[in-house]
Every structure is written in C-alpha cells, then in structure tokens.
Amino acid sequence: MSDRPAPPRFSVVICVYTEERWGDILAAVDSVRKQSLAPLETLLVVDHNERLLDRLTEEFADARRTGEVRVLANAGPRGLSAGRNTGIAAARGDVVAFLDDDAVAEHDWLHHLAAGYTDPAVVAVGGRTLPAWASGRRPVWFPEEFDWVVGCTYRGLPPGRVRVRNVLGGNASFRRSAFDAAGGFATGIGRDGDRRPLGCEETELCIRLANAVPGAVLLIDDRAVIHHKVPAVRERFAYFRTRVYAEGLSKALVAQSVGAGKGLESERRYTSRVLPAGVLRGVRDTLLGRPGGAGRAGAIVTGVALAAGGYALGTLRARRGGSPAFSWGPITPEGVPQETAAPEQPEKKGAAA
C-alpha cells in the first residue's frame, strides 16, 4: 500500500464581469472540468452584473445541481479582490485555485499544483502563464521581460519548481487555511472592471501571508500551465504604457500596506539585473539586423520610466492621505449570498456564445 497522501481537494474560482467574454468564460470552465485531477467544484463569481449572473445560472443548471459548478454574485464591492474573497468564503475545498476568465488551463494544471502541497509548509503554489496573442504572434517590439503587462509569466522568473515571494494571481492556488491566518485579497488594490489596469493584489496578499505564517513557503511550478488570451488592444504600445504606469501606482499601494522593504524586494533584482540584460539583448539584436531589437530595448527603458513615475505619484498620494483604505477579511461564509435557484427547465440552456 502506498504511503503517498491523497491530493488536496480543489475549489477553482473564476471571477467574471462581462458578457463580452462569454465564449472565454465557457472555455475556462471547460478546461477546469477536463482536468486530470478533477476539482471538487468550480465557482463562478459574477461581479455586479445581473444579466451575466442569470445567464450563467441558466447555462450551468445541470452542473449546479451536482455541485460541480456553482454561480455566485460578488458579495463585496465591485472589483477582482472582493470577487475572489467571495469565492474563498464559499469554497469547500482544501485548496482554492484561481483561473482568469479569459484563460484556459492545460490538462494537468491542477495535478501539478497539487504536487507542491505534499510539503505541509507550502501555503501557495502558482504556475506558468503563456500568452495567446490575438494576432497569432508576439509583437516584435514587445519584450518578454514585460509579459506581466498582459498577465503572463515574464523573463526573469526562475524555471522549475522554485520558492518565490509571491505567485501571480491569474494562475495561483492557496491553502484554504492560509486565508484564515492572513485574511483575503485587499480591496483598494487591483482591478475594478474596465477601469485603470491596476494590479499587485496577489503580491500584497502573499507578503502579508508570509508575515502571518512563520516558515510559510510559496512556490511556482512551471509545469502548471495556463494559456492567457491577449486581445488585440493589449498588443498595442498605448496599453503597454498605461499598464506599466498603473503598475507603479500599484506598487506604491503595496509598499504602503506591507512596507517598501518586502514590497519592492523582488523588483530591485528585476530592475538591476533582468531589465538591463534585456536592453543589451535588444541592442545586440539591432546590431545584428534582427527585427524589433531597438523597439524592445526602447520599450524596456520606457517601461522603467513610467513605472517609476507611477510609483512616485502613488507614494506622494499616500503621504498626503489620498490612497484608498485597505480591507481584507476575515474570510468567512457569512454575508456570501446563496446561489440563485436553478431554472425549472434546464433543457433551455443559455444562449449561444
């Protein structure tokens, strides 16, 4: 008889907010339902969109009856953090995993995430996120060092299964007990529908979690792969500029919450080693006549300047008391709304994508 422990039971949370991503949402759920390690449940958390809530309730009527898919309304303020917290509070699994609503997971995604939890000290495991460019290929000017701009794993992260400061939120998992110790994702940081593309809510949570749980280990396993859709608008330099500036604002909020030491620990290595190497590669490619080299080098320099500008402004606002207040828990089932009743005629399933 094997002494290998049983894998943890996963609750997979997918936060959704717009019907414009209907086809993407269905593809994300389908990729979870086809996992080699079947999850306990998939939780669809709808961010203050009654029409989308009703449509998903009808679409997954049969799966909701078995508990395979559950459809919930965001119980908190509008935004990704509160949506994730709603999913955490409702989750019944040992581990809560998060998948973006415009991403699909590879067949063994949960299997590889689960492998990290054989060590009881591990409180979080993330994976590798690959871009699925709308144009079919990476823009020649777009540096791999900045793939985080489109929510993907970037050049500079170590390969394999390695210990990290923080996981990336669109492809991540946490022990359910971690949220009991540290609370959930902070509202006041991160995305809010289609507003300015802020981020870093998972960074702030991971630093807070490491402080709350002595000896906590956080991992990234690059075998746990998802493919994240990059729409055409995010392939443009205008979005790149907006996103890196917003990242600077977000880093200032993280530093305000957990301190600049931990909040910028990984960024110092990134800006002092990874980015200069990227600029040199771009210059080298230009000298060798390879396409896009000058553009990539220029994008890195521009990205650093804009992120620094956003951080400076965010820090100034914090000193003047202009930053939002943070709230992160505790995460409890109280206040989470019950699922909408399933329709009486499940055969009339939702409209086509």
Side-chain angles (χ1 to χ4, degrees):
M1 180 180 296
S2 174
D3 293 329
R4 180 179 299 176
R9 301 177 305 161
F10 278 85
S11 294
V12 179
V13 174
I14 303 174
C15 294
V16 303
Y17 71 98
T18 177
E19 288 184 274
E20 293 177 3
R21 291 186 176 180
W22 180 257
D24 296 333
I25 295 168
L26 297 186
V29 174
D30 187 58
S31 73
V32 174
R33 298 175 77 179
K34 292 179 177 177
Q35 288 294 299
S36 59
L37 174 61
L40 175 66
E41 59 187 354
T42 300
L43 304 176
L44 287 170
V45 183
V46 184
D47 192 14
H48 298 273
N49 185 329
E50 289 295 329
R51 179 180 169 88
L52 179 58
L53 179 68
D54 292 343
R55 192 176 177 188
L56 288 170
T57 297
E58 186 176 355
E59 175 70 25
F60 291 105
D62 293 337
R64 288 175 59 246
R65 286 191 176 90
T66 64
E68 184 182 3
V69 178
R70 300 164 63 197
V71 181
L72 302 168
N74 180 359
R78 187 182 301 276
L80 181 57
S81 289
R84 286 173 171 169
N85 291 344
T86 298
I88 294 164
R92 297 188 288 242
D94 310 306
V95 174
V96 183
F98 298 94
L99 180 67
D100 279 345
D101 63 346
D102 53 354
V104 293
E106 291 193 358
H107 182 60
D108 291 328
W109 174 58
L110 290 180
H111 169 76
H112 290 305
L113 290 180
Y117 291 104
T118 56
D119 180 351
V122 172
V123 297
V125 182
R128 180 160 53 111
T129 302
L130 301 178
W133 303 97
S135 63
R137 57 178 297 180
R138 172 187 298 275
V140 294
W141 62 268
F142 202 115
E144 292 182 27
E145 292 81 1
F146 276 80
D147 276 6
W148 55 262
V149 165
V150 291
C152 296
T153 302
Y154 55 92
R155 183 194 290 266
L157 286 177
R161 184 197 291 173
V162 294
R163 188 169 182 173
V164 292
R165 179 195 66 180
N166 64 275
V167 296
L168 304 180
N171 179 5
S173 64
F174 298 82
R175 290 193 193 273
R176 179 61 180 77
S177 58
F179 301 109
D180 298 328
F185 290 90
T187 58
I189 299 178
R191 299 261 177 155
D192 179 358
D194 286 323
R195 294 172 61 186
R196 177 174 284 170
L198 300 171
C200 294
E201 63 276 8
E202 67 276 359
T203 301
E204 192 274 344
L205 169 63
C206 289
I207 295 172
R208 183 161 29 91
L209 176 58
N211 291 335
V213 181
V217 175
L218 294 83
L219 302 174
I220 284 183
D221 188 334
D222 64 8
R223 299 172 301 170
V225 177
I226 71 168
H227 299 265
H228 186 261
K229 184 176 180 180
V230 182
V233 67
R234 297 188 181 184
E235 296 185 5
R236 300 170 186 165
F237 192 63
Y239 178 81
F240 178 91
R241 295 197 310 266
T242 301
R243 179 66 185 91
V244 295
Y245 177 74
E247 183 73 2
L249 293 173
S250 301
K251 293 297 184 187
L253 294 176
V254 172
Q256 177 188 350
S257 177
V258 299
K262 287 291 185 181
L264 298 176
E265 186 177 54
S266 296
E267 286 73 17
R268 292 189 181 95
R269 175 188 172 275
Y270 174 72
T271 55
S272 65
R273 298 182 185 180
V274 176
L275 295 185
V279 172
L280 291 176
R281 275 191 297 272
V283 172
R284 179 201 63 193
D285 288 347
T286 300
L287 295 175
L288 293 174
R290 296 170 181 169
R296 290 190 294 275
I300 292 173
V301 173
T302 301
V304 171
L306 288 171
Y311 181 81
L313 179 59
T315 301
L316 180 62
R317 287 176 177 173
R319 290 173 179 172
R320 292 178 175 177
S323 295
F326 302 136
S327 175
W328 52 71
I331 298 296
T332 61
E334 289 79 9
V336 176
Q338 298 296 315
E339 294 178 83
T340 305
E344 295 183 358
Q345 295 180 321
E347 66 275 12
K348 295 181 179 180
K349 297 178 78 174

